[in-house]
Amino acid sequence: FSEKDYENAIKYYSEALELNPSNAIYYSNRSLAYLRTECYGYALADATKALEIDKNYIKGYYRRATSNMALGKFKAALKDYETVVRVRPNDKDARMKYQECNKIVKQKAFERAIASDETKKSVVDSLDIENMTIEDDYAGPKLENGKVTLAFMKEMMEWFKDQKKLHRKCAYQILVQVKDVLSKLPSLIEITLKETEKITICGDTHGQYYDLLNIFKLNGLPSETNPYLFNGDFVDRGSFSLEVILTLFGFKLLYPDNFHLLRAKGNHETDNMNQMYGFEGEVKAKYTAQMFQLFSEVFQWLPLAQCINNKVLVMHGGLFSEDGVTLEDLRKIDRNRQPPDSGPMCDLLWSDPQPQNGRSISKRGVSCQFGPDVTERFLSQNKLDFIVRSHEVKAEGYEVTHSGKCITVFSAPNYCDQMGNKGAYIHLRGSDLKPEFHQFTAVPHPNVKPMAYANTLMQMGLM
């Protein structure tokens, strides 16, 4: 555990529990290891089991509260934090987490109380971008006649590299324009690669801006002849999320037909998780709460899946809790909303593959895990060859499972500055659609820690 090898920690705690299944400490410690690997559903189950064994085991309440916070179940978390504070009134960390959680619960209740049935006004309607002044002392990149150009993109990337902030007028211009572009797209994007063409598919980037620049260095800048597909989880955790997302949105505007962005799980392009894992805090620190609201609107318009040459389906999470879902069903999804707790939209963003046949309860506490037989039936019904998804850290940056029919790609190397994993991206060529994997390692970045803007509840201690 101290070496942050959480997968092995889970393995050894599991072996210990086989020998001693009534040890609350083992369940609690495995719960923390699951939290660190983002298996929040398993973490919640273990913390609950620890408390079934010993209802006085205070760390069990603490772990269960943390698990529920990670899942956005704030009321349940608050109840357990109350227990911890009552038993340990002098524990500053527990009291701070209780107060923070209580604040979120009250905020959510207030938001529900003032919500109206009327169509929610867009932030765009309250902006007067034309009359925003760019001060004389601002020396950074500016849009040319209100448009993104390649020269602007190159200048902006260098500006960000030096940890400088894009003028708010330029940021708003990008967001308003990209919202307009995304809102006109279908939920399922369908593209055709000619025999000589290739596309690069990248997985999670999670606010790791300097690793994103490295992808472009290794693989070339996006262009009409060098198309990209970024498969969700652009923000949160890494502390340069704004730089990542503005760069990606800029390229979407520059090459709308050759640069593709898909929505991620109910995790990192949705409000609850942006609040917990850093993006909301980062936008408010660097700009304003109003700009975060606009980001939230834009994220809801990101397409959910992409089909390449009618043979390869790409989505962030995976396949479905029930058989029979078709590509036509995906086309019909109304995506302009926060993700539901179940159904095809939820599954596309949240599910994970498993090695055994059938389906099982999700390790994340949302959606499901699906086996090779589920993949085979889905591909057969929809006349597809394989799926590409992201959503999980992989030691090598990618993983091929389900007899080559389910591929995971993850593009945030040394995730959170601690996992030691490689990153990867995939080339698919129109001639044969055979995936070519390219691995890379993390590059240095300024001394700003991951989760720097995250809610204090997610900056987890080892209590």
Side-chain angles (χ1 to χ4, degrees):
F1 200 103
S2 62
E3 293 174 4
K4 299 175 181 174
D5 184 356
Y6 302 119
E7 296 293 345
N8 267 322
I10 290 166
K11 175 187 168 189
Y12 292 130
Y13 280 128
S14 299
E15 290 176 6
L17 282 164
E18 286 177 17
L19 297 171
N20 187 357
S22 59
N23 189 308
I25 295 172
Y26 292 167
Y27 277 109
S28 178
N29 288 357
R30 190 173 70 174
S31 174
L32 184 54
Y34 278 136
L35 279 166
R36 292 296 167 83
T37 55
E38 302 184 15
C39 297
Y40 303 131
Y42 287 177
L44 180 61
D46 271 2
T48 301
K49 185 69 177 175
L51 291 171
E52 287 172 2
I53 293 168
D54 181 359
K55 66 179 181 1
N56 296 315
Y57 184 54
I58 200 66
K59 282 188 183 177
Y61 292 100
Y62 192 92
R63 298 273 191 269
R64 189 165 70 179
T66 307
S67 304
N68 274 316
M69 284 301 301
L71 288 165
K73 297 178 179 178
F74 305 119
K75 278 188 176 179
L78 183 62
K79 189 175 177 184
D80 282 336
Y81 281 132
E82 281 176 350
T83 301
V84 176
V85 169
R86 190 170 64 249
V87 175
R88 292 186 178 175
N90 297 321
D91 187 318
K92 289 182 181 177
D93 184 65
R95 180 161 293 280
M96 178 271 294
K97 286 181 165 58
Y98 166 73
Q99 290 169 345
E100 191 70 30
C101 186
N102 194 28
K103 189 165 74 175
I104 292 172
V105 169
K106 287 180 177 176
Q107 178 189 337
K108 297 290 179 190
F110 176 72
E111 288 169 359
R112 284 194 299 274
I114 64 171
S116 85
D117 293 333
E118 295 175 33
T119 304
K120 190 178 173 185
K121 274 189 72 175
S122 169
V123 172
V124 178
D125 297 333
S126 62
L127 293 174
D128 184 7
I129 297 175
E130 286 302 310
N131 288 317
M132 288 182 185
T133 303
I134 297 182
E135 297 76 13
D136 292 339
D137 60 354
Y138 173 73
K142 302 171 190 172
L143 277 71
E144 297 177 26
N145 298 317
K147 299 295 182 186
V148 169
T149 62
L150 182 57
F152 168 83
M153 289 303 300
K154 289 179 176 178
E155 188 181 353
M156 183 175 74
M157 287 189 288
E158 285 299 311
W159 190 251
F160 284 158
K161 190 176 176 182
D162 294 335
Q163 290 186 270
K164 295 176 180 176
K165 190 171 79 170
L166 185 68
H167 194 278
R168 69 187 181 104
K169 179 172 183 173
C170 303
Y172 274 124
Q173 286 173 312
I174 289 171
L175 285 172
V176 170
Q177 290 176 31
V178 86
K179 181 186 176 187
D180 183 58
V181 169
L182 294 174
S183 66
K184 293 171 182 171
L185 296 176
S187 290
L188 173 64
I189 303 292
E190 296 172 85
I191 66 164
T192 300
L193 293 178
K194 294 175 184 171
E195 194 160 310
T196 56
E197 292 175 332
K198 77 161 197 263
I199 191 168
T200 301
I201 303 175
C202 298
D204 305 32
T205 46
H206 275 300
Q208 295 185 198
Y209 179 67
Y210 296 85
D211 294 307
L212 174 65
L213 292 183
N214 191 37
I215 291 173
F216 293 151
K217 180 181 176 183
L218 295 169
N219 193 60
L221 284 178
S223 70
E224 290 175 352
T225 56
N226 190 26
Y228 278 83
L229 165 54
F230 279 84
N231 194 23
D233 275 8
F234 319 121
V235 303
D236 280 336
R237 300 204 180 268
S239 296
F240 303 96
S241 291
L242 253 171
E243 291 77 5
V244 167
I245 194 62
L246 287 173
T247 299
L248 296 179
F249 280 170
F251 277 121
K252 181 63 184 173
L253 291 173
L254 188 57
Y255 305 115
D257 299 324
N258 307 97
F259 192 85
H260 307 282
L261 302 170
L262 295 183
R263 189 168 174 178
K265 52 187 177 284
N267 218 356
H268 299 291
E269 274 78 54
T270 56
D271 289 352
N272 269 0
M273 295 302 146
N274 288 163
Q275 184 177 33
M276 299 306 299
Y277 290 96
F279 186 59
E280 180 178 344
E282 184 178 343
V283 178
K284 287 180 176 178
K286 294 177 180 177
Y287 292 100
T288 62
Q290 182 188 48
M291 187 178 285
F292 173 74
Q293 290 171 346
L294 183 52
F295 268 111
S296 180
E297 286 184 30
V298 176
F299 287 156
Q300 293 190 168
W301 282 113
L302 286 163
L304 301 176
Q306 185 147 337
C307 192
I308 302 171
N309 287 27
N310 298 313
K311 290 296 180 186
V312 180
L313 187 67
V314 186
M315 75 289 279
H316 181 73
L319 297 181
F320 306 97
S321 301
E322 296 179 353
D323 285 343
V325 177
T326 65
L327 296 183
E328 185 58 31
D329 293 327
L330 305 189
R331 293 185 189 102
K332 292 176 181 175
I333 294 175
D334 174 14
R335 69 184 186 278
N336 182 26
R337 54 181 171 150
Q338 295 292 295
D341 293 332
S342 61
M345 180 174 171
C346 173
D347 295 330
L348 279 170
L349 305 177
W350 270 106
S351 70
D352 294 290
Q354 64 181 20
Q356 69 273 26
N357 280 339
R359 293 178 174 88
S360 63
I361 294 170
S362 171
K363 60 189 177 185
R364 301 174 190 270
V366 185
S367 185
C368 70
Q369 294 177 171
F370 60 94
D373 58 330
V374 175
T375 301
E376 183 64 49
R377 288 195 298 273
F378 174 79
L379 295 175
S380 177
Q381 180 178 4
N382 289 284
K383 298 182 172 60
L384 297 166
D385 290 347
F386 59 93
I387 64 169
V388 177
R389 40 90 63 186
S390 299
H391 194 37
E392 289 181 287
V393 184
K394 296 298 176 186
E396 296 300 313
Y398 72 93
E399 185 177 60
V400 181
T401 55
H402 295 185
S403 303
K405 294 180 177 179
C406 178
I407 295 170
T408 299
V409 60
F410 191 85
S411 304
N414 194 27
Y415 179 48
C416 283
D417 286 0
Q418 67 177 27
M419 299 304 287
N421 59 292
K422 293 176 183 174
Y425 51 85
I426 299 171
H427 286 161
L428 285 185
R429 299 179 187 277
S431 54
D432 59 8
L433 296 178
K434 182 182 176 184
E436 298 172 9
F437 301 99
H438 299 264
Q439 297 169 295
F440 58 98
T441 54
V443 295
H445 63 74
N447 189 24
V448 181
K449 292 180 178 179
M451 306 279 278
Y453 301 95
N455 188 292
T456 49
L457 288 163
M458 288 295 100
Q459 296 167 350
M460 295 177 293
L462 292 179
M463 178 180 177

